[in-house]
Amino acid sequence: MIEGVAPSVWIAVVTIAALLIGFGLFLGRGGPRDARGRRQFRLRPMRRLVGLLLLALACVSAMFAVTLYQFFRLTADEPVARIVLRQQAPRQFVATAELPGKAPEDYTLRGDEWQIDARMVRWRLPALLAGVPPLYRLERLSGRYTDPAADQSEPRTVYALGPAGMPDLGALKQRFPGWLPFVDVQYGSGAYMPMFDGARYRVFVDPRGALFIRPEDAATQDALKQRGW
């Protein structure tokens, strides 16, 4: 693996190669030349079939590359989000979230704590031995209650953070299991922390594929200690 080249780039290269070869085999004339040197069209079933299979492979690879492009490469403990909280009412807060590649956005959360979830892409052998880094994609931001009974009876707030309308790796793997032998996407990670007015947090992902949260400033850290965190 060449350092700094994302897996989606390699998949895109394979997709383009399969697309060009597939079109050449499926649409090419492939027959003998006439007196003017032009190839004559002949129906060659095996040639057309191989071209059609390559075109199908290119379509599946393109879907995989687009889906994988949604994910971010992970090579070290990496800050992936910043959350600032403002209290509006009892158990109601406005969370200003700064996420990679997006402008800051406000989310109204209800509860005692906030939670963020991510989908992780962990590679299997031999991709793991080749040094392919894990990937992540932030998926949800939600409010939660300390008491499980309150979680069942009080209003819940959940927001999608990932891009909508795009193919999901899990769905692609279930539909085309033979094409994705080195990808393990059945893995999620989440972390939560208390909500209080003025709290500031940083969300990180470590290379092993786990989300964790740290207070961003001393005031938040002191407030967490007072609350037993």
Side-chain angles (χ1 to χ4, degrees):
M1 175 184 175
I2 298 177
E3 201 64 34
V5 179
S8 57
V9 175
W10 293 113
I11 298 171
V13 171
V14 173
T15 300
I16 295 173
L19 196 63
L20 293 176
I21 297 173
F23 271 121
L25 293 175
F26 186 71
L27 300 177
R29 293 180 179 273
R33 297 182 183 274
D34 58 16
R36 297 183 179 181
R38 296 177 302 184
R39 286 195 177 275
Q40 301 175 3
F41 179 82
R42 278 191 178 179
L43 181 62
R44 294 186 173 181
M46 287 303 299
R47 178 191 177 103
R48 310 298 172 187
L49 179 60
V50 172
L52 189 61
L53 291 176
L54 284 174
L55 290 176
L57 173 62
C59 292
V60 174
S61 299
M63 293 175 61
F64 182 38
V66 170
T67 304
L68 201 60
Y69 185 73
Q70 303 172 60
F71 289 77
F72 298 86
R73 298 179 70 235
L74 183 63
T75 57
D77 286 352
E78 182 176 343
V80 297
R82 179 175 181 264
I83 305 293
V84 179
L85 297 167
R86 303 188 312 273
Q87 187 165 8
Q88 286 186 319
R91 286 184 163 180
Q92 181 174 324
F93 296 81
V94 173
T96 301
E98 298 179 15
L99 306 176
K102 294 184 178 180
E105 190 169 351
D106 290 341
Y107 301 89
T108 299
L109 300 179
R110 295 179 178 271
D112 306 306
E113 300 157 347
W114 66 278
Q115 178 169 326
I116 191 167
D117 300 283
R119 170 71 62 89
M120 307 303 302
V121 176
R122 299 298 299 269
W123 302 96
R124 296 177 179 173
L125 297 174
L128 193 61
L129 291 177
V132 180
L135 309 174
Y136 75 93
R137 184 183 70 191
L138 298 177
E139 288 199 323
R140 284 187 176 191
L141 179 67
S142 60
R144 68 194 300 272
Y145 296 86
T146 305
D147 184 4
D151 237 0
Q152 296 176 348
S153 59
E154 297 294 331
R156 295 292 309 275
T157 46
V158 181
Y159 301 93
L161 300 178
M166 300 295 288
D168 181 79
L169 275 177
L172 286 178
K173 186 177 180 182
Q174 291 178 359
R175 191 169 183 179
F176 307 104
W179 298 116
L180 309 176
F182 306 137
V183 177
D184 181 10
V185 295
Q186 307 305 320
Y187 183 86
S189 181
Y192 63 89
M193 291 292 274
M195 291 194 290
F196 53 88
D197 190 43
R200 296 173 178 268
Y201 295 102
R202 285 276 185 177
V203 184
F204 295 82
V205 184
D206 69 21
R208 292 164 295 182
L211 282 176
F212 63 96
I213 304 171
R214 290 176 178 156
E216 187 181 51
D217 54 21
T220 303
Q221 187 172 4
D222 292 340
L224 288 174
K225 289 180 180 179
Q226 294 174 8
R227 289 168 170 78
W229 285 73

